[in-house]
Amino acid sequence: MGQICRPSCSGNLDISRQQQGTELLDDYFVRNSAFPNTYFRRRFRMEHYLFNKIMIAVCNHDSYFVQKKDAFGAMGLLPQQKITAVLRMLSYGASADQVDEITRMGKSTILESLMRFCGAIESIYTADYLRKSTDMDLQRLLKKGEI
């Protein structure tokens, strides 16, 4: 009685997503975090302000990354958890199975986050960064190379 899965299936695991999200925030994203900014740079391969800029842009573009309540009223995953999983996969070449232990996310959620993140980044930044270079861009790069 009250069983969520079929009797022949294994039970649902309590993977403490909320606790892991809180620990991630405490480690890297709050003012007096456990690790200094140099650790953040080494772990995420970018500065903290750049991570926040990308996270805000992606959350504004796709509501999938915004934390919401589920049907039972429990809070969902934090945007930092989803984007951390995606960035770890992209920067380290990690698989979804390797990342799920760090972020406490299911494999399907990690892969969905990866696909949505890549789509959002392409939509947001294509006009600025994925365009053909102009003569003005070439001149700017040559001047920068001379310096």
Side-chain angles (χ1 to χ4, degrees), residues 25-44:
L25 290 177
D26 290 342
D27 287 347
Y28 295 106
F29 295 99
V30 295
R31 184 174 300 279
N32 294 321
S33 59
F35 297 105
N37 285 337
T38 54
Y39 279 66
F40 187 92
R41 171 86 170 100
R42 190 172 69 200
R43 293 279 165 108
F44 291 90

Side-chain angles (χ1 to χ4, degrees), residues 133-147:
S133 57
T134 63
D135 290 335
M136 197 162 98
D137 292 334
L138 182 59
Q139 295 302 321
R140 181 181 50 82
L141 290 172
L142 288 172
K143 284 182 185 178
K144 188 175 182 179
E146 287 175 5
I147 293 172

Side-chain angles (χ1 to χ4, degrees), residues 29-97:
F29 295 99
V30 295
R31 184 174 300 279
N32 294 321
S33 59
F35 297 105
N37 285 337
T38 54
Y39 279 66
F40 187 92
R41 171 86 170 100
R42 190 172 69 200
R43 293 279 165 108
F44 291 90
R45 308 278 184 179
M46 67 179 69
E47 295 293 335
H48 195 269
Y49 76 91
L50 181 59
F51 181 96
N52 285 334
K53 181 181 175 181
I54 292 170
M55 183 181 67
I56 291 167
V58 168
C59 287
N60 287 336
H61 184 269
D62 189 348
S63 64
Y64 175 80
F65 290 95
V66 177
Q67 186 181 31
K68 299 178 270 304
K69 288 185 178 182
D70 65 8
F72 293 106
M75 293 304 291
L77 295 164
L78 294 167
Q80 289 90 343
Q81 283 176 286
K82 292 177 183 178
I83 294 175
T84 296
V86 168
L87 291 177
R88 294 247 172 142
M89 289 180 73
L90 293 173
S91 61
Y92 295 116
S95 69
D97 289 330

Side-chain angles (χ1 to χ4, degrees), residues 12-25:
N12 294 330
L13 295 174
D14 178 19
I15 56 175
S16 60
R17 286 185 247 199
Q18 292 299 98
Q19 180 183 354
Q20 186 64 24
T22 303
E23 289 175 10
L24 181 67
L25 290 177

